[in-house]
Amino acid sequence: MGGTRFNGLALVRELARHGHEVTIFNRGRTEAEVPLGVRRLLGDRTDHAGMAEVFANEEFDCIYDISAYTPDDVRGMIEIFRGRTGHYVFASSTVIYAASNVLPITEDFPVDRSEKQGQYGLDKLECEAMLLHEHRVNGFPATIVPFSMVFGPNNIIPEREQRMFSRLLAGRPVLIPGDGSTLSQIGHVDDEARALRMLMQRPITYGKRYNLTGRDSWTDEGYVDTFAEVTGVEPRKVFVPPEVMDRLYDDELILDVKDVASYRNIRTASSSTPDSHQNLRFLQQVIQRLAPYIHRWNQGAVFSIDRLRRDVGFEPEYTFPRAVEHTYEWYRRENLHETREFDFRWEDALLEHLGEA
């Protein structure tokens, strides 16, 4: 489901490379170079009647649902494919988990359904609950895979790693929260595609949740240092004092940004930050980080993939530095260092507040 953008495209290529017969279903609006022999079905997944017609005579060994975001999306798939697929793999997100001072976070840790959680996370949790119930009651062969901060070529959220490349290449100051010691984690898109392939039709995975991310974690300062080394730039680091970070996170400090009304309406491709937070959507652009509305700026977010290792034998191939190198090679190859533009007004306002402009 999907198959032409970032996660889905990497998975399609991985499956085709290993000899699988692949069918993709999407609206046909995104141009992408998919492997020869990949079959395309066109439709809108929000049109359940139309989907039922498209899939009326179809059965699949495995369905990878990369583009399901709402309970209605999943409910429609269950109704259409109950008894007609050998495996249904649902792409969830690690935003579902509550913050924890015990790391790494495993699949059995508490989830967050509080007022802090965004609608995106609440919908993913409801989708998971629906699939687990369907598996328990009707034997529906579902596996849940929460992704965590996917990284790599073709990322449809340029505000993440591409923004850091652009910031460094432009010689801009690099803002680092606190003393730069907060831990985070990413997973390379090709590693994640390989893990999804390895999960296919493994009965041990049915009715379970599997965290999917990278092997190593990094501090905020380590993130900047790694990008700087890969790009060959000596970074000018500006550490944001903890008391300023606290005021920003609690919206006690609102920066004076020109044309603030239009700027605060900026959204990334998959922004899930609750609208009630004025600063968080900008703070998560400073250093690539998961769900800052749940995990505070000085609270690490690192996830265990031991269950995936044990049940499937998956081991990430990319280290964090190699993931940055690979993505930067693509960034330069696509000439994004010349064409990609970012709005740094909020960062400029913070630098001015800190006396670093």
Side-chain angles (χ1 to χ4, degrees):
M1 302 296 290
T4 56
R5 304 176 75 191
F6 197 34
N7 297 302
L9 181 59
L11 176 58
V12 166
R13 290 171 174 169
E14 172 74 10
L15 294 171
R17 188 160 51 245
H18 285 264
H20 292 285
E21 296 178 10
V22 183
T23 297
I24 59 177
F25 174 86
N26 53 57
R27 292 173 296 178
R29 296 180 182 177
T30 302
E31 292 200 17
E33 291 185 15
V34 298
L36 290 175
V38 170
R39 178 179 172 228
R40 297 174 183 247
L41 298 177
L42 298 180
D44 183 345
R45 72 172 304 151
T46 64
D47 177 7
H48 294 169
M51 275 184 56
E53 184 175 344
V54 170
F55 290 120
N57 299 310
E58 302 286 348
E59 293 188 2
F60 297 100
D61 295 323
C62 183
I63 296 172
Y64 290 100
D65 202 341
I66 307 300
S67 61
Y69 297 102
T70 69
D72 280 347
D73 290 339
V74 170
R75 186 177 297 108
M77 295 296 288
I78 292 172
E79 291 172 354
I80 292 171
F81 288 107
R82 186 185 286 121
R84 295 168 55 198
T85 184
H87 196 185
Y88 177 85
V89 180
F90 170 67
S92 188
S93 169
T94 53
V95 303
I96 63 173
Y97 292 107
S100 175
N101 289 323
V102 178
L103 300 176
I105 295 171
T106 72
E107 292 85 353
D108 299 321
F109 271 44
V111 297
D112 195 323
R113 291 188 172 91
S114 74
E115 68 282 353
K116 293 195 300 183
Q117 183 63 268
Q119 191 59 49
Y120 174 83
L122 292 172
D123 284 344
K124 289 290 188 181
L125 283 167
E126 189 171 343
C127 290
E128 288 195 11
M130 188 183 306
L131 287 168
L132 292 175
H133 176 268
E134 187 67 21
H135 171 73
R136 184 170 60 252
V137 175
N138 297 312
F140 190 67
T143 300
I144 295 164
V145 185
F147 296 172
S148 190
M149 299 299 287
V150 189
F151 190 108
N154 300 304
N155 196 339
I156 61 174
I157 309 179
E159 296 292 341
R160 293 182 175 175
E161 56 265 35
Q162 295 169 44
R163 186 181 182 95
M164 184 59 77
F165 290 139
S166 178
R167 182 187 289 115
L168 287 167
L169 293 176
R172 291 185 53 83
V174 183
L175 292 158
I176 300 176
D179 66 358
S181 63
T182 306
L183 290 173
S184 295
Q185 190 179 26
I186 59 91
H188 191 281
V189 66
D190 291 343
D191 272 340
E192 303 213 343
R194 190 165 52 84
L196 291 173
R197 173 183 58 78
M198 294 173 70
L199 276 165
M200 184 189 298
Q201 289 199 331
R202 297 284 188 97
I204 193 174
T205 70
Y206 300 170
K208 292 182 183 177
R209 178 196 288 155
Y210 290 87
N211 294 339
L212 180 49
T213 187
R215 72 165 74 182
D216 45 10
S217 55
W218 33 264
T219 65
D220 286 348
E221 187 174 13
Y223 183 91
V224 174
D225 289 342
T226 302
F227 273 71
E229 182 175 351
V230 168
T231 57
V233 172
E234 184 68 31
R236 176 191 161 194
K237 302 175 186 177
V238 176
F239 292 87
V240 185
E243 59 271 18
V244 176
M245 288 301 305
D246 284 336
R247 293 181 65 207
L248 288 168
Y249 256 65
D250 296 331
D251 282 338
E252 294 173 358
L253 171 61
I254 303 300
L255 300 172
D256 182 18
V257 180
K258 293 180 181 179
D259 196 17
V260 66
S262 66
Y263 188 53
R264 291 202 188 282
N265 285 329
I266 293 173
R267 294 290 188 276
T268 59
S270 67
S271 177
S272 56
T273 303
D275 290 340
S276 59
H277 295 285
Q278 296 194 59
N279 287 322
L280 292 194
R281 73 194 64 158
F282 306 120
L283 281 166
Q284 66 184 344
Q285 297 171 358
V286 172
I287 295 288
Q288 185 172 350
R289 177 172 292 139
L290 175 79
Y293 47 93
I294 293 176
H295 307 274
R296 200 168 177 84
W297 69 270
N298 55 353
Q299 190 166 39
V302 178
F303 300 89
S304 169
I305 57 172
D306 285 347
R307 177 178 289 180
L308 197 57
R309 287 184 170 109
R310 182 181 63 248
D311 288 358
V312 179
F314 169 72
E315 187 65 39
E317 293 181 350
Y318 281 85
T319 63
F320 178 60
R322 179 58 189 132
V324 177
E325 290 174 2
H326 185 228
T327 307
Y328 187 57
E329 290 166 3
W330 164 83
Y331 181 83
R332 299 283 301 200
R333 188 169 61 249
E334 295 296 316
N335 204 39
L336 295 178
H337 61 295
E338 299 284 353
T339 60
R340 185 72 83 200
E341 295 182 356
F342 294 95
D343 193 326
F344 290 103
R345 278 179 289 169
W346 190 89
E347 292 184 28
D348 288 337
L350 179 53
L351 288 164
E352 184 175 352
H353 177 82
L354 297 173
E356 298 281 354

